[in-house]
Amino acid sequence: MEPIDLAKLAPDHLTKAIAESDGQTVTVSGYVRSTDKATISICMNRTSRSYTEYPRSSVVAAFRDDEESTKVTLLVASDAEVRIVRHARASESYGAWACGYPDIGVQEARPLGSIHPALAALAAEMRAVKDFLKKSSDRLKCDLKRHDNIIEGKDPEKTALEYRNCLSGFPPEDPNIPFGRPL
């Protein structure tokens, strides 16, 4: 450990800038890919094909670790709108799919009658599974609440009433609905 002369202590520039910004910033470190009057483009590493463009107006401060390093740290306003650029081959983009678009969201984008019957059947099955899972989830919530009431030692009759009300979908506070079912 090395002793330090207290008279020569100085605040870290980045830490000081972060403290003065009242937490309204984010810290970005990387290598400057390009710069112009409006933006500064930063890559995460020197060989990256992707980069992020930060508006100069949103950069609160810029720092370099040492004079020999080309890596920089920017303090950027947290609400700044940035542009993220990702380079890829054409075969990795949307053109790689046979119809020109990925199959994500197809059933929402077109009526089931306008797509292949097998896809329509699959979509209908998926909807049925989702509905079943939701009902099972609701039933599980009722079972867990009943279990908690029993463990807590609540009145068995009140617990049974709340459980029936939960299963039938009626709120347990409604005294006009006996056993959770309408008259």
Side-chain angles (χ1 to χ4, degrees):
M1 199 174 293
E2 182 181 336
I4 299 173
D5 181 5
L6 292 178
K8 294 182 181 179
L9 276 180
D12 177 72
H13 298 293
L14 177 61
T15 305
K16 183 179 177 183
I18 291 171
E20 290 172 353
S21 70
D22 293 328
Q24 302 300 314
T25 57
V26 293
T27 305
V28 178
S29 292
Y31 298 89
V32 177
R33 181 181 189 277
S34 64
T35 181
D36 59 33
K37 290 181 180 181
T39 61
I40 300 171
S41 300
I42 300 289
C43 294
M44 295 304 284
N45 57 55
R46 290 183 171 139
T47 60
S48 177
R49 295 181 64 202
S50 303
Y51 60 94
T52 305
E53 289 181 353
Y54 298 92
R56 278 186 179 267
S57 61
S58 69
V59 177
V60 176
F63 304 95
R64 187 178 315 253
D65 284 344
D66 56 54
E67 290 183 25
E68 296 172 12
S69 175
T70 58
K71 189 170 186 175
V72 298
T73 300
L74 302 179
L75 196 59
V76 181
S78 59
D79 63 348
E81 288 203 23
V82 300
R83 188 174 111 169
I84 299 170
V85 179
R86 180 183 159 265
H87 290 274
R89 300 206 177 277
S91 62
E92 298 168 356
S93 67
Y94 289 115
W97 290 280
C99 65
Y101 296 97
D103 288 336
I104 299 168
V106 170
Q107 75 182 36
E108 288 83 16
R110 300 187 311 204
L112 292 179
S114 70
I115 63 176
H116 191 280
L119 279 176
L122 176 62
E125 284 183 44
M126 289 175 64
R127 243 181 303 161
V129 168
K130 286 179 183 177
D131 289 344
F132 173 78
L133 290 175
K134 182 180 180 336
K135 288 176 187 172
S136 297
S137 172
D138 292 344
R139 170 70 187 251
L140 179 60
K141 288 177 189 172
C142 293
D143 290 341
L144 290 173
K145 179 65 177 163
R146 178 177 178 227
H147 175 265
D148 291 344
N149 286 346
I150 291 170
I151 295 297
E152 292 172 12
K154 291 193 176 175
D155 178 38
E157 288 182 24
K158 184 176 180 183
T159 297
L161 178 62
E162 285 182 9
Y163 181 65
R164 286 192 298 266
N165 288 336
C166 181
L167 290 178
S168 66
F170 293 102
E173 298 83 28
D174 192 343
N176 300 321
I177 303 176
F179 305 108
R181 305 204 187 289
L183 296 173

